[in-house]
Amino acid sequence: MTAKTNAAIWFSSDGYDPGAKGINGRRVAGESFLRGFFAHAGVDEFVSIAHFPSDEAAFRKFAADCGVTQPLRGVRLDSPDGLAPTKVLYYAAPNFAAECWRRAPHGAAAWAISGITHTTASKAVMQGLFDLRAAPQMPWDAIICTSRAVQASLRASMELAESHLAIRFAGAVLPARPLLPVIPLGIHCDDFAPDLAAGQGLRTRLGIAPGDIAVACIARLTPQEKFDPLPLFIAMQAASAEIAAQSGNRLHFLLCGQFREDVWRAVFTEGAATLMPSVGFHLLDGGDAGERKATLSGAQMFVFPIDNVQETFGLAPIEAMAAGLPVIVSDWDGMKDTVTPDVGIRIPTEMPEAGLTTYLGLRHFGGTDSYQQYVGQLSALTRIDVPALTTALVTLGTNADLRARMGAAGQVRARSLYDWRVVIPQMQTLWAEQAAMLAHARRNPALRRALAPIDAARLPVAPAPHLFFAAYPTPRPSEPRRYRAVPLGPRPDLAATLALRNYAATRRQFEDPARIAVVLAALTATGPAGTTAADLATLAGLPTRLVSRVLVWLLKYHFAEDIP
């Protein structure tokens, strides 16, 4: 495929390595996407763009572990013009205003940016969406919305931003929004094929009888950021009594996950013991891939009662569908799209009427409430219909044929709509559309001014220090300056002085010590007559800008002085 269907991956291990950085939905989805991209993109090369060589090395290792044979090319974030011929930059978040500014010195049509939604409830993302509309964002940029619900929320956010900007800057013509296509997250369906032996082994280990019904849930175990388990426990206890009355079978709950904070362990364990004493409760380690596989393989249904705005898509029900399980989910965000009546049951949800939660948004924005406190309070005010959840559990718990039909339909749906094999081409179609928009814009003379590069020194969000701090230092004379080396006498030499200062401790040295030494040696060779910065650059064989910066440091440490 051509470069038009490719995208350079803005890579940081934080977004793609749940093993090292901690399991959460964003990292799991990132790792899964990258595996899917390597497997199904069919491009001539894979391009990464990163801050540090260590990130590029991690990208290369990831590619090697995935069996990539195509060439790999790394681009530094401080030299993004090296992206060409790739036309699109893939950024794994929706708030990429900073990337628009990074592009600005190279021209607004230098490349397109493709972001994607994960959590959108954080203050950083909300602020970032506003900043995006005030940044040099262009209509060929895009934010992939993983569900129609999150697409609607982004539209609402942008409408609010645009309304404010139109009033604030009366008469201003606002640029077009970024594209907001709905493309789901994907999974590798083969990874979730049921392992009957592992499932039976788990049931035997936990003492689950052959006729008993096991309900699984795989999630991060935090009632603040995922779901409040207590309404589910109430429904499970009520369903347990009905299932036992109809079939004589016991209901079990397989909860597979990890506690980010141990304080929440008691909410789950004591809540289960108190609210569903008739239900077998089994807490399993979600950090163990084998345990997750066994959980999906040993259960007869999957439940995912999300009540939290932290969620935007919901990967876990897709994984359960790929494992052949019928699913019971809340009628919430992405699950409105993914779970249809043939594969599962959606439980009605309810939030407070307009105006009743405005204060929570203000407390979150103002810093009174943290992100966890914000989403946790909204969760407390979000209802999942417990009687409907109970009915769904009983319906599936007492009807093996229905479970089998829904499970089989779920496998078909997962494979046909949510496998990376079919999702990656949708993303590449978007990138091709963005590349075509870029090409059209470059041919339009009317847009020439709008597409012109912005002087890098004059970026309003990152003004050059010589502009921003111009009033700080003593005014400099305007005439040309000459410099000469200062005899050191008994004082430490250059290497000893650099070691004494130890810039390396911050991993940020203003210049390579070897180049500083070259400049000082060249200056010393000019003798008492000295030289100008431009002539010194010629003598040293280095760029004038670099030599001028080094001269400031040499003056600072009195290795050099001005000639009167």
Side-chain angles (χ1 to χ4, degrees):
M1 292 188 181
T2 68
K4 292 182 180 179
T5 61
N6 199 1
I9 306 301
W10 200 111
F11 186 84
S12 169
S13 295
D14 177 67
Y16 297 94
D17 192 352
K21 298 292 184 177
I23 293 175
N24 65 16
R26 173 175 59 86
R27 295 190 188 105
V28 169
E31 179 190 45
S32 183
F33 156 74
L34 205 50
R35 286 174 55 207
F37 184 54
F38 286 147
H40 303 297
V43 295
D44 295 330
E45 65 171 349
F46 289 108
V47 185
S48 66
I49 183 167
H51 280 295
F52 307 114
S54 58
D55 284 316
E56 182 188 346
F59 182 85
R60 288 180 176 274
K61 182 180 184 307
F62 198 130
D65 291 344
C66 291
V68 168
T69 58
Q70 293 96 321
L72 300 171
R73 182 161 60 89
V75 179
R76 287 174 57 101
L77 270 163
D78 54 5
S79 301
D81 50 335
L83 286 171
T86 307
K87 307 296 184 185
V88 179
L89 170 66
Y90 175 78
Y91 186 75
N95 49 333
F96 51 78
E99 293 308 309
C100 296
W101 289 113
R102 195 193 305 277
R103 176 180 62 191
H106 306 274
W111 58 85
I113 303 169
S114 178
I116 190 169
T117 55
H118 291 294
T119 294
T120 57
S122 70
K123 184 164 61 174
V125 171
M126 293 180 188
Q127 178 70 54
L129 291 173
F130 176 85
D131 293 345
L132 192 61
R133 297 302 285 130
Q137 165 259 308
M138 303 304 290
W140 41 83
D141 297 325
I143 303 174
I144 295 172
C145 301
T146 55
S147 66
R148 289 178 297 168
V150 79
Q151 181 194 55
S153 68
L154 260 62
R155 283 176 174 162
S157 172
M158 291 184 180
E159 286 169 5
L160 293 173
E162 290 155 4
S163 176
H164 167 77
L165 292 170
I167 296 171
R168 173 83 169 158
F169 304 104
V173 178
L174 298 178
R177 293 177 187 172
L179 302 169
L180 297 175
V182 176
I183 301 175
L185 293 176
I187 65 170
H188 302 274
C189 287
D190 289 344
D191 291 352
F192 301 95
D195 183 333
L196 298 182
Q200 185 54 54
L202 179 70
R203 290 176 70 97
T204 300
R205 169 159 53 100
L206 300 179
I208 301 174
D212 288 353
I213 303 300
V215 181
C217 179
I218 299 179
R220 193 175 349 141
L221 303 182
T222 163
Q224 292 291 92
E225 293 179 90
K226 189 58 70 171
F227 72 93
D228 183 341
L230 301 191
L232 172 63
F233 293 165
I234 294 169
M236 292 281 285
Q237 177 65 19
S240 175
E242 290 196 42
I243 291 171
Q246 292 187 40
S247 64
N249 297 322
R250 191 182 184 202
L251 191 63
H252 294 260
F253 185 40
L254 311 181
L255 182 59
C256 185
Q258 290 181 303
F259 293 104
R260 173 177 287 182
E261 299 173 75
D262 201 59
V263 65
W264 303 125
R265 185 180 298 273
V267 173
F268 284 86
T269 57
E270 294 178 14
T274 302
L275 295 176
M276 55 175 198
S278 300
V279 177
F281 178 63
H282 311 280
L283 189 58
L284 304 167
D285 181 11
D288 184 326
E291 205 77 318
R292 296 196 301 271
K293 181 83 163 180
T295 297
L296 292 177
S297 301
Q300 285 114 318
M301 68 179 90
F302 187 86
V303 65
F304 203 59
I306 299 300
D307 58 8
N308 205 294
V309 295
Q310 176 271 343
E311 192 77 60
T312 55
F313 179 73
L315 275 173
I318 305 294
E319 296 168 351
M321 287 158 58
L325 294 180
V327 296
I328 299 172
V329 301
S330 45
D331 187 38
W332 191 254
D333 60 62
M335 292 171 288
K336 292 173 176 284
D337 297 338
T338 58
V339 177
T340 49
D342 57 324
V343 304
I345 302 171
R346 297 204 310 262
I347 307 303
T349 59
E350 179 183 2
M351 288 185 75
E353 62 188 53
L356 297 184
T357 54
T358 303
Y359 76 103
L360 292 177
L362 295 176
R363 287 172 64 92
H364 181 215
F365 171 77
T368 302
D369 290 343
S370 69
Y371 172 70
Q372 286 196 356
Q373 290 170 328
Y374 171 63
V375 296
Q377 290 176 91
L378 283 176
S379 166
L381 298 175
T382 298
R383 176 199 177 203
I384 292 182
D385 190 325
V386 171
L389 180 54
T390 302
T391 299
L393 289 164
V394 172
T395 298
L396 288 179
T398 56
N399 193 330
D401 289 341
L402 179 60
R403 293 197 303 268
R405 289 197 304 273
M406 283 188 166
Q411 285 184 309
V412 172
R413 183 171 176 80
R415 193 166 292 276
S416 62
L417 296 179
Y418 304 112
D419 192 277
W420 284 119
R421 175 183 54 81
V422 295
V423 174
I424 292 295
Q426 294 178 59
M427 299 176 76
Q428 291 184 278
T429 297
L430 168 65
W431 299 337
E433 178 185 354
Q434 292 179 264
M437 293 174 71
L438 277 177
H440 178 74
R442 289 171 179 166
R443 293 192 298 266
N444 187 342
L447 293 178
R448 190 165 295 142
R449 182 179 178 186
L451 304 183
I454 297 176
D455 182 354
R458 306 184 70 82
L459 293 181
V461 296
H466 74 269
L467 291 177
F468 196 55
F469 303 111
Y472 284 35
T474 306
R476 277 197 321 221
S478 58
E479 63 268 12
R481 301 172 68 182
R482 293 181 66 85
Y483 309 89
R484 65 188 174 200
V486 174
L488 295 185
R491 62 173 279 195
D493 64 8
L494 176 64
T497 302
L498 287 170
L500 189 65
R501 178 57 178 81
N502 192 17
Y503 291 107
T506 62
R507 301 195 311 167
R508 287 295 182 275
Q509 187 138 333
F510 72 95
E511 189 49 73
D512 182 347
R515 290 181 174 178
I516 301 173
V518 168
V519 174
L520 180 56
L523 183 62
T524 302
T526 65
T531 187
T532 65
D535 289 343
L536 182 59
T538 300
L539 291 170
L542 294 170
T544 301
R545 286 178 176 271
L546 182 152
V547 169
S548 296
R549 286 194 296 266
V550 171
L551 275 170
V552 174
W553 187 87
L554 292 174
L555 290 167
K556 176 184 178 74
Y557 278 85
H558 201 52
F559 285 103
E561 64 183 2
D562 287 285
I563 297 176

